[in-house]
Amino acid sequence: MFAVTGHSPLITSLPPSGHEIMDFDLVTLGGQLILVAAAAGYHVDVCTWDPVSDGWAEYKLDGPAFDNDHPDIAVIGAAVVGGRIIVGGGGDHQGFAIWDLETGKVRLENDASFQGSTNSTVRADLGGRSVFVVGYPGGVDLVDPRVTDSDGAGEDLDPEQPSPYHSPVEIEELECRSGASSAAAAGLLAGRPVVVAGGRHGGVLVWDIEEERHLARFDDLDETPTEFALAPVDGRMRVVAAGGQSLVLGDPESNEWSEPLTVPGDEVSCLTAGTVYGRPFAVTGARDGTICVWDLAERRLLGQPLQGHSSEVFGLRMADLDSRPVIISSAHCDSVHLWEFPS
């Protein structure tokens, strides 16, 4: 389906509006990979992209009651609930809200907790349950995308098995140190749901959501970590962290960082991690557009950096497209790039 082009992107694409993508998430609906994005400019609020057909669609979202003008969506997460795409996000002038993408209707608005602004949003999967991990001034919140209505009632929640995130879970001990989706990460550590982010009083915390305490605390490095992910390395879940021009692995059992790896290019602006062909990898994006792929098992840079963007990388995701691993990226004043995963 694609021609191999070395270190050049396989596809570059922009929405019909021509505006850059501020942030994006990936969902799979009906077996189809779909990019859900917040585009710059206020006349279009959210758009989707089908990378197979290179087709875009645009959606207008209703303004939450607490928003006096229009939805200000600069950060976004997406989940599939009951066969429908649900988006959550906000921006500098808007607290976090949740919408039904197809209808544009607001499902949840929460201006009180989020103090009128949203710094970052990412969807995380916690043991088969999706949550939005939301960074805002003063803390990190977890919100179930199935929740609707401002009082936390949920039309899609099973009354026999209520969600532990039926109301937003507020974690004031954490802070997001960047505006990227990798400002916080969530997942399972030894079967327990955790969130990883910067500590309000320094260091990096692995926070146990159920017990409301930190399971591990890492000291800050010479270059303070601002981006986070979780990945299984050497048979155990590790914290993957980046800040400045450093990439490190953290062991939650010992509370110790590995020897930092030097990231080529400028300072790291975003991070993602996952498993490809059974091996753990991380991908970093930098302020000068440099994208690097890292073999976490071998602690090394995989091949040469991917050079296609000439400005700050806003978002990164790893995905399977027709059983083929790819990387999708977005950057300031640039199109969305889809790359073949390097070997």
Side-chain angles (χ1 to χ4, degrees):
M1 136 181 188
F2 301 121
V4 177
T5 55
H7 294 297
S8 298
L10 300 173
I11 301 175
T12 62
S13 190
L14 272 177
S17 65
H19 289 283
E20 67 190 4
I21 297 303
M22 300 296 294
D23 190 22
F24 71 89
D25 203 352
L26 299 177
V27 297
T28 301
L29 183 63
Q32 178 183 3
L33 181 69
I34 300 172
L35 178 145
V36 183
Y42 296 117
H43 63 289
V44 173
D45 298 310
V46 172
C47 52
T48 62
W49 180 53
D50 174 3
V52 174
S53 65
D54 193 14
W56 290 90
E58 301 173 337
Y59 298 86
K60 180 70 177 177
L61 304 184
D62 291 346
F66 60 81
D67 182 61
N68 295 323
D69 191 4
H70 47 65
D72 171 21
I73 304 176
V75 296
I76 193 169
V80 175
V81 176
R84 304 180 69 83
I85 296 177
I86 303 300
V87 298
D92 291 339
H93 308 291
Q94 180 181 291
F96 183 78
I98 295 177
W99 292 265
D100 182 300
L101 180 63
E102 188 67 33
T103 66
K105 299 299 183 183
V106 179
R107 291 170 55 88
L108 173 73
E109 50 186 317
N110 189 8
D111 60 324
S113 294
F114 293 87
Q115 304 175 20
S117 65
T118 310
N119 292 353
S120 65
T121 301
V122 66
R123 184 196 77 246
D125 297 315
L126 302 178
R129 184 189 302 279
S130 292
V131 297
F132 291 132
V133 183
V134 187
Y136 66 98
V140 173
D141 279 13
L142 305 179
V143 187
D144 193 319
R146 298 177 297 168
V147 169
T148 185
D149 300 332
S150 58
D151 64 358
E155 62 183 11
D156 297 308
L157 296 175
D158 184 349
E160 300 298 325
Q161 293 182 326
S163 169
Y165 316 109
H166 187 65
S167 297
V169 175
E170 301 177 11
I171 309 174
E172 296 182 353
E173 291 81 359
L174 301 179
E175 67 175 7
C176 290
R177 296 170 175 169
S178 81
S181 59
S182 49
L188 295 179
L189 178 64
R192 304 193 64 82
V194 299
V195 180
V196 180
R200 287 286 300 279
H201 303 292
V204 173
L205 300 183
V206 179
W207 188 262
D208 187 310
I209 299 168
E210 295 176 346
E211 295 192 1
E212 299 182 358
R213 65 179 181 88
H214 70 265
L215 293 178
R217 184 187 186 280
F218 300 91
D219 292 332
D220 278 328
L221 300 165
D222 292 338
E223 295 185 290
T224 301
T226 60
E227 316 302 325
F228 303 96
L230 288 165
V233 183
D234 300 333
R236 298 206 315 270
M237 190 65 71
R238 305 296 178 98
V239 173
V240 186
Q245 290 181 279
S246 295
L247 177 72
V248 295
L249 290 177
D251 184 348
E253 292 188 6
S254 66
N255 291 245
E256 294 182 352
W257 297 114
S258 66
E259 187 69 24
L261 299 171
T262 300
V263 179
D266 206 342
E267 293 185 352
V268 174
S269 56
C270 56
L271 165 72
T272 190
T275 302
V276 177
Y277 299 133
R279 293 178 60 82
F281 292 92
V283 185
T284 55
R287 298 188 185 282
D288 64 355
T290 301
I291 295 175
C292 295
V293 182
W294 302 87
D295 185 321
L296 296 179
E298 297 186 1
R299 275 72 161 176
R300 66 179 180 89
L301 180 66
L302 184 65
Q304 297 297 313
L306 306 179
Q307 302 285 357
H309 296 298
S310 59
S311 55
E312 181 178 357
V313 181
F314 285 157
L316 284 170
R317 293 290 190 279
M318 299 161 61
D320 285 326
L321 188 61
D322 291 341
S323 300
R324 182 176 183 178
V326 297
I327 298 167
I328 300 177
S329 61
S330 65
H332 177 63
C333 294
D334 204 352
S335 57
V336 172
H337 287 15
L338 185 146
W339 313 78
E340 182 174 31
F341 198 90
S343 57

